[in-house]
Amino acid sequence: MSALAFSKRLALLPRAVSGQLFHPTPANAIPCWARASSNGQGLGPQLHTKKRGYEITRNPHLNKGMAFSLEERLQLGIHGLLPPCFLTQDVQVLRVLKSYETKTNDLDKYIILMTLQDRNEKLFYRVLTSNIERYMPIIYTPTVGLACQQYGLAFRRPRGLFITIHDKGHIATMLNSWPEEDIKAIVVTDGERILGLGDLGSYGMGIPVGKLALYTACGGVKPQHCLPVLLDVGTDNETLLNDPLYIGLKHKRIRGQAYDELVDEFMQAVTDRYGMNCLIQFEDFANSNAFRLLNKYRNKYLTFNDDIQGTASVAVAGILAALRMTKNRLSDHTFVFQGAGEAAMGIAHLIVMAMEKDGTPRQEAIKKIWMVDSKGLIVKGRSNLTHEKQMIAQDHPPIKSLEEVVQKVKPTALIGVAAIGGAFTEQILKDMASFNKHPIIFALSNPTSKSECTAEQCYRLTDGRGIFASGSPFDPVTLADGRTFVPGQGNNAYVFPGVALGAIACGVRHINDDIFLLSAEVIAETVTEKHLAEGRMYPPLSTIRDVSFKIATRIVEYAYKNNLAAWYPEPNDKEAFLHAQMYSPDYDSFAFDSYEWPKDAMEMQKV
């Protein structure tokens, strides 16, 4: 890279000018907790540590690489352990970017970033916050799905806590192995339903790791307060069981009482060690466990299921924003779901809640919800319906195919959450366009290969009238007539970082569904008329940190108003209260507090 090119790249990084943050992206795209200090070195407060030598350079929480000053190197016993070069954090970011750009596939880019997280945590989060829109698809969906599939081959350094069914009765001891004492947020999975990829067993650890990275990058939750956990009870994935390189338990999944006892013990052990205000997020559990575990624990622990409640919140946020285009009320819409699993049920439940809040009786609201599963339309009288499906079953003759359901019901909104790629066929999209001036088409399945349709298919087959959102990112679409649409991504990352920050900050006792409806309303409020004109139902990902902060602020206000907060006295300035608890990627200073006494006080006494 030439000196001129280097200086141009450096100019694109956030920097302080006359005490104000300058950045080429829109104002306030980077909140105060992610800003570089005016000295250009990204230095935060002074930190004291008793560690020395390699204990510093090999600890990702403390390591600054070549950003250590000579004074720090001498005092910490690391002079000579680093090259004789001194770099600011800005220059370090450019070094990472140069290495990153040499990689041609997303998995290699994922490994570059995860390796950086293992080596230099502050720099990792500085890179992420410098362009969250660019890096989120790498550390989270859709690339994290590929990373989980290749987890055994990409494995470099263990992150998180692996608890197996054979550790039952000893989980408290295992938690003692984790080096951090003050854990405030845990993301836990058993790996049975990873995105739309199915049972990946212990390879599912990539999901809690990626989720918690976004807790910090998007929500400002301190990484030392976060713990990724995988409950390994085996796998039913025959490919993994027959793979000699698989790094998890090689037997069929343990179910029933033994499984429940393991999860019960885990929940109790976590709260015994970290307190009842430790947030526990369930992630990618199979339908058979997700609902019952949520119902079992939601009123006992501080917990939520992101696949059910987070997905619901972000989907309803997009629908609320879409109402500004359809120019009507939520109760005027009829929804058909492709899929009837935890995501679909969560979205349907929150839609009904939103309709009730708007004045629609509950039973009338339920009549607006139609679901299609692997056996067809869910109707009353169908055998072997789960409790959740019974609640939304419609009084209608059975229908086998989604296409026929769309033709019969004539919905205004079509929501895909079954991970069946291409489920929204050309005929279905054309039918939706014939029924509605602005059909709502949400293809929310992940990863991209499982999306029900592409953005291009939706806009082209609806003549640009479709209101589209997806679970995975799609590029802007330009139609033959020259109109360009920027599809919005209904990413759960709009929801869970802000919910986590708000809940942790004020010690919320339980996370109820009102909090997720509130979060949906906040997200919808941040969608501007300009965004809607572009085709976005969500704010740009570049603003996601500000969205998370607004959600957290609203949750804190709600918690204190409804006596759900545990920390008192109630703060007067809730924004300042949140800012004070948020993580900064600026480096800490390790320079000792050096000073002298007056000369006469320091004079040596002589015999």
Side-chain angles (χ1 to χ4, degrees), residues 205-461:
M205 178 58 97
I207 297 296
V209 170
K211 286 274 184 179
L212 288 171
L214 296 184
Y215 267 46
T216 301
C218 300
V221 178
K222 296 176 181 178
Q224 63 267 32
H225 291 165
C226 299
L227 172 58
V229 175
L230 183 122
L231 301 178
D232 191 346
V233 296
T235 178
D236 291 338
N237 186 324
E238 291 294 338
T239 301
L240 296 181
L241 291 175
N242 295 324
D243 183 356
L245 301 180
Y246 177 57
I247 60 175
L249 294 184
K250 292 188 177 181
H251 58 67
K252 291 286 189 177
R253 283 189 171 270
I254 303 297
R255 303 185 184 276
Q257 183 178 346
Y259 176 92
D260 288 351
E261 289 174 353
L262 179 75
V263 181
D264 283 343
E265 183 187 345
F266 168 74
M267 299 296 284
Q268 187 64 51
V270 164
T271 50
D272 285 347
R273 177 159 174 76
Y274 304 122
M276 293 300 295
N277 292 110
C278 180
L279 173 65
I280 305 171
Q281 176 187 324
F282 282 78
E283 187 69 30
D284 287 347
F285 283 72
N287 293 348
S288 58
N289 290 320
F291 288 109
R292 66 184 190 85
L293 293 179
L294 175 62
N295 293 330
K296 182 177 184 179
Y297 298 129
R298 67 189 307 167
N299 295 320
K300 185 177 180 182
Y301 299 100
L302 180 62
T303 186
F304 71 96
N305 184 303
D306 186 56
D307 303 302
I308 298 173
Q309 296 162 292
T311 301
S313 185
V314 76
V316 169
I319 292 166
L320 294 177
L323 296 181
R324 288 154 58 189
M325 293 186 67
T326 59
K327 308 294 183 184
N328 53 12
R329 298 172 59 192
L330 185 61
S331 56
D332 294 325
H333 287 267
T334 301
F335 299 86
V336 165
F337 288 79
Q338 169 64 31
E342 52 204 85
M345 291 298 174
I347 297 169
H349 173 69
L350 210 60
I351 289 174
V352 170
M353 276 186 64
M355 286 188 186
E356 286 185 282
K357 186 175 181 179
D358 197 37
T360 303
R362 180 174 179 80
Q363 289 306 313
E364 290 301 311
I366 291 175
K367 290 179 181 179
K368 300 286 186 177
I369 307 294
W370 300 72
M371 286 194 183
V372 179
D373 63 9
S374 60
K375 297 179 181 178
L377 183 65
I378 297 176
V379 296
K380 295 184 183 298
R382 206 177 90 177
S383 60
N384 299 320
L385 289 179
T386 63
H387 172 73
E388 289 78 19
K389 291 181 180 181
Q390 289 174 7
M391 298 295 291
I392 53 86
Q394 298 292 349
D395 189 7
H396 193 279
I399 302 177
K400 283 291 184 182
S401 70
L402 176 64
E403 188 172 306
E404 188 178 353
V405 170
V406 169
Q407 291 170 349
K408 295 284 187 181
V409 176
K410 293 182 170 53
T412 57
L414 188 60
I415 300 176
V417 282
I420 301 176
F424 296 170
T425 64
E426 180 174 338
Q427 184 61 51
I428 287 173
L429 293 173
K430 287 182 175 180
D431 286 343
M432 288 294 292
S434 70
F435 307 146
N436 306 285
K437 181 179 179 181
H438 290 294
I440 298 173
I441 310 291
F442 281 13
L444 299 180
S445 293
N446 282 312
T448 309
S449 61
K450 302 292 184 179
S451 185
E452 287 76 13
C453 69
T454 66
E456 187 276 334
Q457 289 168 335
C458 173
Y459 291 127
R460 175 172 54 83
L461 295 172

Side-chain angles (χ1 to χ4, degrees), residues 176-189:
N176 289 332
S177 300
W178 191 249
E180 300 293 340
E181 297 287 335
D182 188 18
I183 298 299
K184 295 184 177 179
I186 289 174
V187 175
V188 58
T189 185

